[in-house]
């Protein structure tokens, strides 16, 4: 069985006649651990309560233990218990809410409550907001109470609604939204005849420097086909279709504040294995956190000073010397990284960057002819490369003012050819992050091997990172997904 299953506390809460999907009680689901043993159903938990240790709570908790996909997850239930637990989502949600209000020329009409079922807002003026809310909190029915007392609409409260307490047409709207959400086939039946699993690969066809090119993704797909895995590239417009797949491999540059994080988060909520997972993204994309984490785990890093104000600049020059390197916390592909050689240049660059962020990193400048990159998958080395500095530049990528970039050359090593200390240091650096795929950048210096950063979204190009390991690199990646799907 691979369809939708509705969980209710009492059969009368949602009669089987109201839906083409199977309806069972939470008590039945809890009491029968081997139910759906040979399948992976998609569960919609419509319990009367999602409170801690209620039947609804345990139904979602055990669903995750049984490998079933469930909505809402226990994480969502706990997040929505208190406003302080979901306040991290409010800036983006309120921005969307106000954009919808401006577009609809909304005029405050007293209290505003927005009812959203499966991402569909009952008030069509807030359609985009409803979709974003569902991206953040995968819950069947949500009600958002909005403060309309100022020009900027703000969210007072987000709460889960109980199916049995819907009134004034809300129940009918809920049933229609459920039907619309589940009307898509669980999976393309044609694809199931040839492949055991479907793996979505998120990419941006217009990205100039993606972690994997379209050609590399096609190469990966050819190898995956031999292992009964169907690889299908998807774009950011296909978030609503993500649940049709078994796993997600993100192959565009990740960021906490764009759609890549929402895709990763949605995949986790759906119970899907994902590279990169949200926790790894959070840990790797912020260099301030990363440096602290590495130092706590006794991994050597360049001498580093955090810069919060002008007073820290003098200390940075005194302790690190000039030239030094200044980094924004969340740069990628050498962006947001500046080499400064004079006090005046340091002050100018810091002033500019502190307009965008409250913290900067100042690091000792450690020139080398190349950087090591060790790919680490599930705590084990996957590949080893040397990336040479771009010609006439101090980094491996030189970004030009016109938006183009120049990269240095590369050399790929077998795992038995690279210095053992480089591989060992890289593995120790990656393990505190998680068990996904990471690219650890290191330098060999007179003071020893130091880790520059750990990337959650490392390059994996056919003919570069796999130049020595060949197809085995991609097969190991496939096996990572398959092992988690078969657990």
């Amino acid at each position: 069985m691979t369809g939708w299953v509705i969980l209710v506390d009492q059969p009368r809460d949602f009669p089987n006649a109201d839906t083409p999907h199977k309806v069972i009680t939470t008590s039945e689901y809890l009491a029968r651990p081997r139910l759906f043993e040979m399948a992976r159903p998609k569960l919609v938990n419509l319990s009367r309560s999602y409170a801690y240790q209620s039947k609804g709570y345990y139904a979602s908790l055990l669903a995750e233990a049984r490998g079933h996909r469930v909505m809402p997850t226990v994480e969502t239930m706990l997040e929505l218990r208190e406003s302080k637990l979901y306040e991290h989502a409010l800036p983006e949600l309120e921005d969307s809410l106000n954009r919808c209000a401006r577009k609809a020329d909304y005029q405050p009409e007293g209290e505003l409550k927005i009812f959203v079922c499966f991402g569909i807002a009952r008030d069509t003026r807030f359609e985009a907001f409803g979709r974003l809310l569902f991206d953040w909190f995968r819950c069947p029915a949500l009600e958002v109470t909005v403060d309309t007392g100022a020009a900027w609409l703000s969210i007072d409260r987000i709460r889960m609604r109980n199916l049995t307490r819907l009134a004034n047409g809300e129940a009918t709207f809920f049933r229609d939204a459920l039907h619309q959400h589940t009307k898509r086939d669980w999976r393309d039946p044609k694809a199931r005849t040839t492949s055991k699993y479907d793996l979505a690969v998120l990419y941006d066809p217009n990205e100039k420097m993606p972690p994997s090119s379209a050609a590399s993704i096609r190469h990966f797909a050819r190898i995956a086909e031999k292992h009964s895995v169907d690889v299908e590239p998807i774009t950011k417009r296909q978030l609503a279709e993500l649940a049709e797949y078994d796993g997600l491999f993100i192959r565009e540059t990740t960021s906490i504040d764009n759609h890549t994080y929402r895709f990763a988060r949605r995949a986790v909520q759906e119970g899907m294995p994902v590279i990169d997972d949200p926790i790894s993204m959070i840990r790797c994309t912020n260099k301030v956190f990363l440096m602290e984490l590495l130092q706590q785990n006794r991994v050597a890093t360049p001498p580093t000073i955090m810069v919060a104000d002008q007073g820290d600049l003098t200390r940075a020059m005194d302790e690190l010397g000039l030239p030094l390197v200044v980094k924004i916390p969340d740069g990628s592909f050498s962006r947001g990284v500046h080499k400064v050689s004079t006090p005046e240049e340091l002050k100018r660059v810091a002033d500019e960057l502190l307009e965008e962020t409250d913290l900067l990193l100042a690091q000792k400048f450690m020139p080398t002819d190349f950087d090591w990159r060790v790919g680490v998958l599930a705590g084990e080395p996957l590949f080893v490369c040397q990336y040479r500095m771009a010609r006439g530049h101090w980094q491996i990528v030189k970004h030009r003012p016109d938006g183009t970039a120049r990269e240095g050359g590369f050399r790929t090593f077998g795992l038995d050819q690279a210095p053992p200390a480089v591989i060992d240091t890289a593995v120790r650096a990656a393990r505190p992050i998680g068990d996904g795929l990471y690219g650890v950048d290191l330098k060999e210096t007179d003071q020893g091997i130091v880790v520059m950063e750990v990337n959650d979204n490392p390059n994996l190009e056919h003919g570069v990172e796999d130049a020595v390991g060949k197809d085995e690199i991609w097969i190991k990646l496939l096996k990572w997904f398959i092992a988690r799907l078969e657990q």
Side-chain angles (χ1 to χ4, degrees), residues 76 82 96 146 192-193 272 304 327 348 354 410 453 461 484:
T76 298
E82 299 179 43
S96 175
V146 179
R192 293 299 287 184
T193 63
M272 300 162 59
T304 302
K327 300 180 177 181
R348 177 181 59 78
L354 286 171
F410 70 91
E453 61 184 24
E461 283 286 4
R484 282 148 186 80

Side-chain angles (χ1 to χ4, degrees), residues 2 185-198 225 228-232 244-246:
T2 55
D185 288 340
W186 177 252
R187 195 174 316 286
D188 179 359
K190 186 176 180 181
R192 293 299 287 184
T193 63
T194 58
S195 299
K196 188 176 181 180
Y197 298 115
D198 290 341
E225 188 177 7
S228 293
V229 177
D230 182 44
V231 168
E232 184 169 340
E244 297 175 32
Y245 301 92
D246 295 301

Side-chain angles (χ1 to χ4, degrees), residues 17 26 66 79 88 111 126-127 200 219 231 235 249 285 304 329 338 348 354 362 375 393 399 408 436 467:
T26 48
R66 295 171 186 176
E79 271 189 309
H88 59 287
E111 185 179 59
F126 299 99
E127 180 181 356
H219 177 75
V231 168
T235 67
F249 186 26
T285 55
T304 302
H338 302 264
R348 177 181 59 78
L354 286 171
H393 194 54
H399 295 279

Side-chain angles (χ1 to χ4, degrees), residues 163-427:
L163 173 65
T164 60
R165 295 186 180 181
L166 301 182
N168 301 321
E170 290 176 334
T172 300
F173 176 76
F174 177 89
R175 284 194 296 271
D176 291 343
L178 172 65
H179 175 70
Q180 186 170 334
H181 180 69
T182 60
K183 68 182 179 181
R184 191 188 306 274
D185 288 340
W186 177 252
R187 195 174 316 286
D188 179 359
K190 186 176 180 181
R192 293 299 287 184
T193 63
T194 58
S195 299
K196 188 176 181 180
Y197 298 115
D198 290 341
L199 178 64
V201 177
L202 180 65
Y203 85 116
D204 178 357
N206 299 314
E207 186 172 2
K208 293 181 179 179
M209 296 184 66
S212 292
S213 65
S216 293
I217 295 172
R218 288 193 295 271
H219 177 75
F220 180 43
R222 288 191 292 270
I223 296 171
E225 188 177 7
K226 299 175 185 176
H227 292 77
S228 293
V229 177
D230 182 44
V231 168
E232 184 169 340
I234 63 172
T235 67
K236 65 181 181 182
R237 299 184 182 277
Q238 294 173 266
L239 181 60
E241 302 169 23
L242 185 59
E244 297 175 32
Y245 301 92
D246 295 301
L248 173 65
F249 186 26
I250 298 177
R251 291 285 83 193
E252 61 174 291
T253 303
T254 52
S255 175
I256 297 302
D257 59 0
N258 73 8
H259 62 277
T260 55
Y261 180 74
R262 289 198 293 274
F263 268 81
R265 195 172 182 277
R266 171 74 66 87
V268 170
Q269 291 171 337
E270 296 287 354
M272 300 162 59
V274 55
I275 293 175
D276 319 313
D277 66 273
I279 298 300
S280 294
M281 291 170 101
I282 290 170
R283 290 175 175 173
C284 288
T285 55
N286 193 287
K287 294 181 177 66
V288 171
F289 174 88
L290 189 58
M291 283 296 143
E292 288 279 335
L293 184 67
L294 294 175
Q295 290 166 9
Q296 288 292 326
N297 284 273
R298 302 183 184 278
V299 176
T301 61
T304 302
I305 289 178
M306 251 180 285
V307 175
D309 53 42
Q310 294 295 329
D312 294 324
L313 298 181
T314 300
R315 184 164 68 94
M317 287 187 288
D318 290 343
E319 295 186 19
L320 304 178
L322 288 172
L324 56 78
V325 177
V326 181
K327 300 180 177 181
I328 61 174
D330 59 350
S332 61
F333 286 110
S334 303
R335 296 185 180 94
V337 180
H338 302 264
K339 175 187 169 188
V340 295
S341 301
T342 66
E344 295 76 21
E345 190 179 9
L346 173 61
K347 184 178 185 308
R348 177 181 59 78
V349 169
D351 285 345
E352 292 175 1
L353 297 180
L354 286 171
E355 291 292 323
E356 304 174 17
T357 177
D358 288 341
L359 284 178
L360 300 173
L361 287 178
Q363 288 186 334
K364 183 178 179 65
F365 179 55
M366 308 179 86
T368 55
D369 293 334
F370 60 83
D371 284 353
W372 286 103
R373 163 73 60 83
V374 179
V376 179
L377 178 65
E380 298 294 334
L382 182 66
F383 64 80
V384 182
C385 278
Q386 279 182 357
Y387 301 131
R388 300 194 67 80
M389 301 303 152
R391 184 179 299 175
H393 194 54
W394 59 280
Q395 295 171 289
I396 62 175
V397 179
K398 181 178 182 179
H399 295 279
R400 299 187 179 101
D402 62 0
T404 61
R406 175 197 292 270
E407 298 183 59
F410 70 91
R411 180 185 175 191
T412 308
F413 290 73
L415 296 180
D416 59 344
Q417 299 171 326
V422 169
I423 294 178
D424 176 68
T425 303
V427 169

